[in-house]
Every structure is written in C-alpha cells, then in structure tokens.
Amino acid sequence: MARANDDVAAALEEYAELFAMTGGDAFRVRSYQKAAKAISGFPDDVAAVPVRSVPGVGEAIAKKVEEYLQRGSFRQLDDLRGRVPEGVRRLTRVPSLGPKKAVLLFQELGIDSPEALAEAIRAGRLKGVRGFGAKTEENLLRGIEQMERADTRVHTGVAMDLAERVIASLEGGAERIAYAGSLRRMKDTVGDIDILAVAPQSLMDDFKAQPYVAEVIASGGKKTSIRTHQGLQVDLRLVPAESWGAGLQYFTGSQAHNVHLREIAVKKGWKLSEYGLFDGERVVAAASEEEIYRALGMEWIPPALREDGGEIPAALKGGLPELVTLEDLRGDLHTHTDLTDGIASLEEMVAAAHALGHSYYAVTDHAPDLAMHRMTLEKMLAQREQIRRLQGKYPDMRILHGAELNIGPDGSVDWPAEVLAGFDVCVASVHSHFTQSREEMTRRFVTACENPHVHVIGHPTTRLIGRRSPVDADWDEVFRAAARTGTAMEIDSFPDRSDLPADLVRLARHHGVKFSIDSDAHAVPHLGNRRFGVGIAQRAWLTPEDVINTWPLERLLGFLGG
Ligand code: DGT
Ligand code: CA
Ligand code: CA
Ligand code: ZN
C-alpha cells in the first residue's frame, strides 16, 4: 500500500522551493529539505505514527505536516503558492536555469513561464543580459523542450506507486487484477497506467469513487479512464475471465510486438485479439499468456523484452536469454549513509541489507571534492574502523568499504592513489560540469575508466528524468574504454535516474562491458528500488553473467582486485 510519506515530502520540498524563491532564510530552506528527505526515507507511514518521531522533524515542521495530513495542504504553503505565479514556478524547473535566475527573469523582464522564456530567447530579447550567452540560451531551449516532452510522462517509480495503490484499492472487488502496458514492460517512463481486471461491472463505480480520482475522462462498460490529482491517466479495463491471458498479452504491448505476433497468427490462418487466439470460431488459446505463445510456436516472452527487438525470432528458436532477476543479485555496490547525504546510519543500512539476504554490501559515501558533503580523511577512516567492528556481527555478509568519487572536468578523481588503494570498491561519477563538449566529456570518462582504482562508473549519463538531460559523450568510445580496462558501468536503480538507460546498456554489452545494478540508496526504503534497475537490465537482455553483483563474493573480489 502506498505511504503518505512521499506526498508529505513533496509538499515540504515545494514549500522549501517557494520559500527560497521568495527570499527565505537559507538555513530554514535546508531544514525543510532535510525534513522532506527524512520523511520520504522513513520506514513507517507518517500518517500512522507521530511525525515527531522522524529524526530532523522539529515542532514547527511537525505542525505543518499534521495540517497537511488532515487537509492536503498547510496555511504557509497556500500563502506562498498565492504569491508566486504557477508559470514562474515551472520556470525554476527549467534545467540549467535555477530558482535565482528564474526569479530575476520574472522581476526584471516579466518572463513568467518556460514558454515565455523560449519566446524571449527566439526573439533575441536576452541578448546582452548578463549571464545569458549563446551557449546558455541553447541549453535553456533544449531544457524547455525536454520539459515539454517529459511533462506528459512519469518515471517508473511514480507509476509503480500509483499502480500498486490502484490495485490495492480495487482488489477486494476483483477476481483478478494486474497492471499491463509500458509499466509491465518496465519502461523507464510511462505515459499512462493500464489496469486489467476480471470483476463485476460495479468495480467501475468503485474505481470512480476512489480518493485519488480527480476527473473521470471517459467511462463505459468495458473501460474507464480517470485522471489523478497528480495529472496521471489510469485506464481500467474489464476482461472476461476466460480471456485473461489474451487481454494481458494484448494490453501489455508493445504495439510493435503485438503487430509482429499477429502476423505470425495470420500466417497460420488464425486471428489474435484481446479476446484470444482463434481458428475461425474455435478458441485455440485465451486463458493464459503461456498458452498463447506456445500455440504460436514459441516460448513465453518476458514483458521486458516485448519491443520487437529480436525477441520473437529468438523465442521461435527457443533461444531467449536467461534474464537476470532480482533474486540473482547478491549484493549492492553503491549506497550512502548519514556520514554524507544519506539519512540512515551505517548500522541501520547494514542491518537492512542483511535482512535482504545480501552476501556483500558496499558503503560508498561521497568523497571530499563534492564539498557540500564535508567529507574528510578522518571521517572516512573512522567509518572504516566502524565497519571493521560491525563486520563481526554479520559473519555471512561481507561489508565492503567503498567511496563514490567525483569525476572532475579533466577525468581525475578525489583522494591520492594511496588513499584510493585502501578502499574495497570505488564508484566514480560525474556530479558537475554537465555541459562539456562531447570531446571533453568522452575524454573525461575514458580517463576515469583508465584509473586503476575506479571499478564502476556511477549513473553514467547523469540524467534526471524530466529535470536534467543526459550528458553528451561518444558512448561507443567510452564503452570500448570500459571493456578494455575492466571497468563496470552502473545501472543506477533510482527510478528518476534509471541510469544507464536500457538502450545504452545494450550498446555497452555489445562492446563487452560488465554492469553493476545498484540501489544508490540514501535511506532504507531505497534498497527496494533495485527492482527498477533489474527492469532496465532485462530490457537490455542482460543475463546474470553480465552483472558483477550477481557473482559470488570471491569472483567479485577478483574483479575488484584486478
Ligand atoms: P505508454 O502508456 O505510452 O507508456 O505506452 P503503452 O505501451 O502502455 O501504450 P498504451 O497505454 O497506449 O497501450 C497499452 C498497450 O495496449 C500497448 O502497448 C499495446 C496495446 N494497444 C493499445 N491500443 C492499441 C492499438 O490500437 N493497436 C495495437 N496493436 N495495440 C494497442
Ligand atoms: Ca500505458
Ligand atoms: Ca493506456
Ligand atoms: Zn552520485
């Protein structure tokens, strides 16, 4: 069941943002942001426990949260929402613009939305304004276009939360219920959510009456579409019990996969629809997906592969890959604690990882070059000692001491070589200078791969879905360097990162690169995000052999040592 935590955190984030934009005190802004993080990472539902028990939530914030839980907003938030026009708030989210410049543009030039900004740039009205050169303008235009595209789609984390909430709200009244569509195929962004159910007609009325429904878009006997308060569309379709498999197959898609499948049915003189596979009036198969694929002469195809990317010929030959699964992951190689920007302690993170049955778990807090996290050599060494002591408690799980290094603009990383040599594992990531030229960016990654102390390149494209574009690099060249140097590429499972994305994973694999599917957890609940990383890996046809953190400890240590 979905928790109230993320809604509360989003409201506090929004408040922090508005507060900063209206000249609010930076210290208080940070305390709202910290509280938002603490609440979203808190293991219990804040609607069910006293919010004051969340670390970092003081009296003033607790009051706001309580009001929010009662009525979906709080007074101070309402006030600020009234003072900053909606368009200006969207303006602050234009990648590479930032709140300060956005407010400046609004106050000095009356630019009050991303659309108005795009128009001003195209009309040359920003020429001569300080801080807006030709390259900046180009980046801003790209950012605005990306926002427009992303506005209509959400990342899997948001979609999965909502789908699970919808299913939980309706499953009492349904014989069967499941999500289909792009979410079942584990795409990293989802346009709308498709739910199928075997249920009486009355389920449609139950659906329309749910608290998450903001608007009923269309409603008929077989299908009802609604829009949620977040603006997401959910389609609920009723399917006859005997056609469950056919319905699931049809509405899982993708459309290209289905077109190809129907051609194969037609060649056999049959017809494939959402009701079943038919020979004239005779039902060949309909109740389960397995029966349908088998009748068409092939193995059942995992949803993540259904993009007409070669999976149908492979299935006809019985040659589908043995895809990596969540159960195959034996450990995690990129996680944080409250020593830097995580919100849980080392002890809490390690205990949670152990409860998941991991055989190894790397703690990789940030390194000093990312100055905001205030890491020092002393703190790092103290953490290593703390890990050494904690290890005694977990004889069956190896705790690896690692770091998430910053790849500087020239490809160099934090700490001198002798310090790096003391870590069990180093993940190195780009956290700044995102707009370097393709040549510089490529050289930067190649240099990082060539560093013998770097084992994994973290969230390689640095994209944030809907907020930051991927960096521009010659990925063929980067992946060749990774394969040559034995550097793994990360699949960062955080759903707003989903980085590497599946198409680049597939390209990297072609070059012989290995991967690490990591949580990048900053709190205990984030460990659960690994299922999204597995989805990306499956969409890229990865097998356990391709993924270093499915390997037994000894083999992994060999990779990290070599
Ligand atoms: P999305 O929502 O944009 O993330 O992507 P999907 O794949 O979930 O697309 P959606 O919601 O339009 O439809 C769900 C599935 O239903 C789609 O993957 C294939 C199937 N489907 C829907 N409409 C059609 C259609 O007109 N023709 C065919 N062949 N398949 C369809
Ligand atoms: Ca859909
Ligand atoms: Ca749909
Ligand atoms: Zn990072």
Side-chain angles (χ1 to χ4, degrees), residues 334 336 364-370 375 380 402-408 411-417 419-421 423 425-432 444 448 451-459:
H334 181 180
H336 296 273
T364 57
D365 272 313
H366 289 285
D369 290 358
L370 210 58
M375 182 53 116
M380 183 278 281
E404 182 182 9
L405 308 171
N406 309 291
I407 306 177
S412 64
V413 296
D414 329 48
W415 313 106
V419 175
L420 293 180
F423 288 111
V425 54
C426 289
V427 176
S429 328
V430 166
H431 292 116
S432 66
R444 184 179 186 184
N451 186 324
H453 300 291
V454 170
H455 304 111
V456 178
I457 302 293
H459 48 72

Side-chain angles (χ1 to χ4, degrees), residues 153 181-182 185 190-192 194 250-255 258 262:
R153 300 185 73 81
S182 51
R185 302 199 311 279
V190 167
D192 69 8
D194 304 282
Y250 183 90
F251 290 110
T252 295
S254 67
Q255 191 153 334
N258 287 357
R262 267 202 303 277

Side-chain angles (χ1 to χ4, degrees), residues 41 48 82 119 177 185 201 305 347 373 397 409 432 486 546 548:
E119 205 187 289
I177 186 162
R185 302 199 311 279
Q201 272 296 321
L305 296 184
E347 286 80 2
H373 300 312
M397 183 179 85
S432 66
D546 299 311
I548 62 173

